[in-house]
Amino acid sequence: MPLSTAQAAPTRVPPGQAGCIFALASILLCLVGALSMSLRSRIPSVLSIALGLAVAALGLSGEAKAAEGCMTTIGAPHRFTGPALDSRIARTERAVLQSSRRAALWAGVWGTAFAGAAAGSLSVAATTDNAGLRKDLYVAGASASFGALLRVVMLPKPVLERRALRRQNLTDPCDRLQAAEQALVRSARWERSGRRPFIHFASLGYSASVALIHGLVLERPFAANRQFAIGAVIGQVFLLSTPRHATRELHALSGRSERVVLTHVRPFRLSGGGGLQAGGLF
């Protein structure tokens, strides 16, 4: 399966056909050497025979490597050969491609949303006569601009992995399989990193910092609380919407089932009031 429609992956000569080609080439070179011997041209004949034997040895080593197959680096150790190897390579490269496309779409949608919010906030702030509202919109526009800038500068890992895989332009089946599997592993690791508790708390910390500046420096405490609530919700939705295609494909290729997420929301009552209790397995 090619990584893109513009550049197809290099075709691989079947092992049997490659062996026949090497055998014919070695026989031809040995015949040339024997003919040179009959014509008393010893040096070219010896070179031709030696070259023929070298080509035959190369063909035998290639056949042995093709028969041995390629070992997977995902899941339990397993060696793929023949059509199974081609299918494994195609599926892994297709998983890297699809992960890259979904990550690029995710980044593009969020980047566009942040840029639109920044442009709208700053344009209204520049035309309004309300001094307090102008401060609020400048803070919102600056925060949204920072989010849009991050989407432009920090490209998703699956996109970078796909580009690196295309630049390698590998032809050996084992090298292609290993490179595609490692690219998928790194893409899945990036997807999981965005859902770690530390990242969620960092997002909340950023929203709290912006709210503190908004409330203390600009003296807009009520607007700062509102800014924190909006920023916290948007930040958590942003992180939870991270694509998981590479993670699902990695679990499928390794033969493991993906961890199920079980959540529950129930009333949480206290003597002086109440609220909601959320929990589950992540």
Side-chain angles (χ1 to χ4, degrees):
M1 184 73 183
L3 290 178
S4 65
T5 56
Q7 179 181 1
T11 57
R12 183 166 63 93
V13 180
Q17 183 178 349
C20 293
I21 294 175
F22 278 111
L24 290 176
S26 61
I27 292 173
L28 181 60
L29 289 172
C30 290
L31 288 177
V32 172
L35 182 60
S36 300
M37 289 284 288
S38 63
L39 296 178
R40 297 182 180 180
S41 179
R42 296 184 179 274
I43 295 179
S45 64
V46 173
L47 292 177
S48 298
I49 294 176
L51 185 58
L53 294 176
V55 171
L58 182 61
L60 291 176
S61 63
E63 286 294 303
K65 183 177 180 181
E68 183 182 0
C70 301
M71 182 70 71
T72 179
T73 59
I74 295 178
H78 184 75
R79 195 174 296 278
F80 291 91
T81 59
L85 175 60
D86 295 334
S87 177
R88 180 78 173 194
I89 294 174
R91 181 178 179 180
T92 309
E93 290 181 343
R94 183 169 60 250
V96 174
L97 173 62
Q98 294 298 328
S99 301
S100 171
R101 289 178 175 176
R102 298 191 183 196
L105 178 62
W106 170 80
V109 169
W110 277 105
T112 303
F114 285 139
S121 299
L122 295 177
S123 61
V124 174
T127 57
T128 185
D129 295 330
N130 189 327
L133 179 61
R134 185 183 302 112
K135 294 179 181 179
D136 300 341
L137 291 175
Y138 274 137
V139 172
S143 181
S145 299
F146 180 71
L149 179 63
L150 288 182
R151 289 304 91 219
V152 175
V153 176
M154 300 178 60
L155 294 178
K157 186 65 172 178
V159 176
L160 300 178
E161 290 295 335
R162 180 199 174 194
R163 293 180 179 178
L165 198 60
R166 291 179 60 185
R167 285 195 300 266
Q168 292 178 9
N169 196 24
L170 301 174
T171 57
D172 183 78
C174 296
D175 293 340
R176 287 179 58 193
L177 178 61
Q178 183 177 4
E181 288 182 343
Q182 292 305 310
L184 187 63
V185 168
R186 288 188 291 267
S187 299
R189 188 181 299 121
W190 173 85
E191 292 179 353
R192 292 193 298 266
S193 66
R195 296 171 180 262
R196 291 182 299 176
F198 170 76
I199 302 298
H200 288 276
F201 284 116
S203 176
L204 293 175
Y206 170 76
S207 300
S209 301
V210 174
L212 285 175
I213 296 175
H214 194 179
L216 297 179
V217 178
L218 301 180
E219 299 179 350
R220 299 280 293 175
F222 179 77
N225 293 331
R226 182 181 57 197
Q227 174 71 25
F228 171 75
I230 296 175
V233 171
I234 292 177
Q236 298 307 306
V237 173
F238 169 78
L239 294 175
L240 293 175
S241 64
T242 305
R244 295 184 59 84
H245 185 76
T247 304
R248 288 193 294 266
E249 287 293 331
L250 182 63
H251 281 86
L253 289 172
S254 61
R256 301 194 307 267
S257 59
E258 189 176 5
R259 180 180 294 181
V260 180
V261 178
L262 302 176
T263 59
H264 61 265
V265 179
R266 62 183 63 174
F268 182 69
R269 294 185 176 89
L270 296 174
S271 58
L276 291 177
Q277 178 184 9
L281 172 64
F282 298 89

